[in-house]
Amino acid sequence: MNKINRNDPCPCGSGKKYKKCCGAEKSFAPNEFTSDVPMNREPGNPRLKKAILQAVSNQLRINNPPETKETLNRLMAEGYSKQQSMEMIGAVLSSHIYNMLKEQHEYDNKSYVRDLERLPKYPWED
């Protein structure tokens, strides 16, 4: 089978160019600028999500900080699944990593714990 070029008609039969249809899924996540991109996949970077969830798993495994496990248990008691709870913790972790890189500052455990305690409200929600 020949490789499909970006400007070829999409093999799904939509009538659109491959780059504007099924090929768009392979190049970037949907956002407000790409409303014509098929929405049949989860947005974001799956490798980054896996890495963040692995970091959360590591925090839970070594119980450091202990507030991570406390937060997981609290969220699950509130009715969230383990996966949802870990993803919420991962969102807090990723926002702290982002801010550390952006603002070039050290890890602040007090701030991280404070944001864990606020879940399910996220740090960027005021």
Side-chain angles (χ1 to χ4, degrees), residues 4-25 36-38:
I4 301 169
N5 292 318
R6 296 182 67 227
N7 290 316
D8 289 342
C10 190
C12 76
S14 67
K16 294 182 180 181
K17 289 184 179 183
Y18 179 71
K19 69 181 178 184
K20 294 283 188 175
C21 192
C22 295
E25 291 181 25
D36 60 333
V37 174

Side-chain angles (χ1 to χ4, degrees), residues 49 52-53 55-56 59 68 83-97 112 116 119 122 124:
K49 180 178 179 178
I52 294 293
L53 290 176
V56 172
Q59 288 181 353
T68 303
Q83 183 68 27
Q84 290 170 319
S85 301
M86 289 185 64
E87 288 177 1
M88 285 189 260
I89 294 168
V92 170
L93 178 60
S94 62
S95 74
H96 278 260
I97 292 170
Y112 180 64
L116 287 176
L119 284 173
Y122 291 107
W124 53 88

